[in-house]
Amino acid sequence: MVQYLVSKCGLSPAAAAKAAPRFAHLDSASRPDAALAFLRSQGLTRAQVREVVSWKPELLLSDVDATLDPKFRAVRALGLGRADVARLFALYPPALTYGIHTNLLPRVLFWIDFLGSAKLLMKWLAKTWLLRYSVDALLRNLSTLRSLGVQQSRITTTVRMQPTLITQTPARFQKLVGRVEACGVPPSSGMYMWAFFALHNVSEGSFRAKKAAVVGAAGCTEEEFDAMFRRAPCLVFVPAALLRRKVEFLMAEAGCDATHIVTNPVLLTLSLGKRMAPRCRVVEALRSRGVGIGKKANLGSVMRYPEDKFVERYVLRYKEEVPELLELYPPRLCKGSSQTR
């Protein structure tokens, strides 16, 4: 049977040797042959068959008519094409062991409905085994958010970005809800789900380190950092050391005080090397040539300008008077401009 699993199914010799004892009772290979023939008839490639058999070799002992065929038919009946059905079972082989009406169809239908398409389900199945989670557990987590008053549209938008937001155990999910609440983000806020998303991806220890970096560099309070997080949750995706450097740059080079940074936390999400520093050099060059562009404290606002607006207003407008602007803010940084003159 080892040779059979290697030659027919593509398993490695080691994997085949480990699986072979499960077939010791067979007098012939007729049942495995039938299962393999069926899987291939459904469009599974050799690589996909290997994935399925590697996960659970006993699937080769399944009765085609009673077990395998009904599952393929059931998923196709949802409107998925032959290739998509083959890919679904290859991406998540455990689905071949599910009861059709108890687990398989409810889980597939839930995710197609929530994500909006079978295509998106396939995209996420390639990254994580979404179908392993019971629909009841997923609905409990969604119910928790709805009971807090979070708008369904906001839940849907964020979960489509990262479905694993709702695949946590109820206990871990409640803990995450508590972390968002501790930061003072109200469920009615448009930022609630973004805060939820951010804290799902940033550990408590990492969050504390980033808070300490900003508080230490800006001299603000922890409460002010929480206020910054409420306005721009994505700032916690920036490494702590880089957050500190950005605060120091804004205060030393851009002339921003702590209050300006606290009330404009989106500044800390901007690239230091590709946006803040080059724009600061442009403004300094203009000022050194006597071009009136406002007070230094306004540099914080200049950093936030959309790319087109900044290029048009500060680079292209003055490139004849200050030709070095195109060196300070090279074309690769100006590619978003509507003009190329």
Side-chain angles (χ1 to χ4, degrees):
M1 198 64 191
V2 172
Q3 183 57 36
Y4 180 95
L5 292 171
V6 172
S7 61
K8 298 278 189 174
C9 306
L11 270 63
S12 68
K18 184 177 180 180
R22 304 171 198 180
F23 301 90
H25 64 286
L26 294 180
D27 295 326
S28 73
S30 59
R31 177 158 284 195
D33 281 344
L36 281 177
F38 173 77
L39 292 175
R40 289 167 182 154
S41 75
Q42 298 304 302
L44 274 76
T45 64
R46 180 176 174 81
Q48 289 174 329
V49 168
R50 182 177 64 247
E51 290 297 321
V52 170
V53 177
S54 295
W55 179 79
K56 196 173 184 65
E58 294 94 323
L59 285 171
L60 292 178
L61 300 175
S62 301
D63 184 288
V64 170
D65 294 329
T67 303
L68 297 179
D69 185 52
K71 292 173 183 176
F72 277 80
R73 288 178 180 274
V75 178
R76 280 201 303 272
L78 299 179
L80 278 73
R82 182 170 175 269
D84 281 338
V85 175
R87 187 161 181 249
L88 183 147
F89 286 118
L91 289 172
Y92 188 63
L96 286 169
T97 67
Y98 285 173
I100 293 175
H101 299 291
T102 55
N103 284 309
L104 178 59
L105 292 185
R107 296 183 189 196
V108 173
L109 280 170
F110 173 87
W111 284 113
I112 289 177
D113 179 61
F114 204 94
L115 295 175
S117 70
K119 181 179 180 180
L120 286 174
L121 171 58
M122 295 302 171
K123 170 189 170 182
W124 281 104
L125 273 180
K127 299 178 180 181
T128 184
W129 281 9
L130 290 182
L131 297 180
R132 72 184 298 180
Y133 305 99
S134 75
V135 173
D136 286 345
L138 299 172
L139 290 176
R140 280 199 298 273
N141 288 340
L142 289 172
S143 179
T144 296
L145 292 174
R146 294 185 187 114
S147 68
L148 293 172
V150 183
Q151 290 183 14
Q152 180 62 49
S153 60
R154 292 171 180 167
I155 296 173
T156 301
T157 297
T158 315
V159 173
R160 283 181 177 177
M161 286 182 56
Q162 189 170 20
T164 53
L165 280 172
I166 60 170
T167 61
Q168 305 169 76
T169 64
R172 291 188 64 184
F173 196 81
Q174 288 289 353
K175 184 176 181 180
L176 184 55
V177 168
R179 289 179 63 196
V180 178
E181 182 180 351
C183 291
V185 187
S188 59
S189 168
M191 288 295 171
Y192 184 88
M193 285 306 299
W194 296 116
F196 199 88
F197 174 85
L199 294 183
H200 172 66
N201 290 285
V202 176
S203 70
E204 292 183 74
S206 180
F207 183 84
R208 287 194 297 270
K210 293 170 183 185
K211 176 184 285 191
V214 173
V215 168
C220 61
T221 66
E222 292 192 357
E223 290 73 18
E224 286 175 321
F225 178 85
D226 288 342
M228 295 171 70
F229 175 73
R230 291 194 291 272
R231 294 189 184 98
C234 56
L235 73 86
V236 297
F237 289 123
V238 181
L242 183 54
L243 281 172
R244 178 179 291 277
R245 291 204 303 274
K246 288 182 177 182
V247 171
E248 292 171 347
F249 175 86
L250 287 168
M251 297 183 78
E253 303 296 329
C256 298
D257 58 21
T259 300
H260 188 86
I261 295 173
V262 167
T263 55
N264 296 276
V266 71
L267 289 171
L268 299 183
T269 69
L270 304 177
S271 171
L272 179 57
K274 295 181 179 180
R275 184 159 182 159
M276 291 199 287
R279 290 191 180 191
C280 191
R281 288 194 291 268
V282 166
V283 171
E284 288 299 327
L286 291 171
R287 184 175 293 110
S288 70
R289 299 290 286 270
V291 179
I293 56 170
K295 298 179 180 179
K296 190 172 184 178
N298 288 333
L299 266 174
S301 299
V302 171
M303 302 296 182
R304 300 199 310 275
Y305 284 164
E307 188 67 10
D308 284 359
K309 182 177 180 180
F310 176 81
V311 170
E312 299 290 347
R313 185 168 181 176
Y314 294 103
V315 180
L316 298 180
R317 179 183 295 181
Y318 301 109
K319 70 173 186 175
E320 302 299 333
E321 301 171 53
V322 190
E324 64 265 31
L325 290 178
L326 291 178
E327 295 180 10
L328 296 173
Y329 212 80
R332 65 181 178 82
L333 295 177
C334 299
K335 63 182 180 180
S337 174
S338 60
Q339 297 185 35
T340 56
R341 65 178 186 276

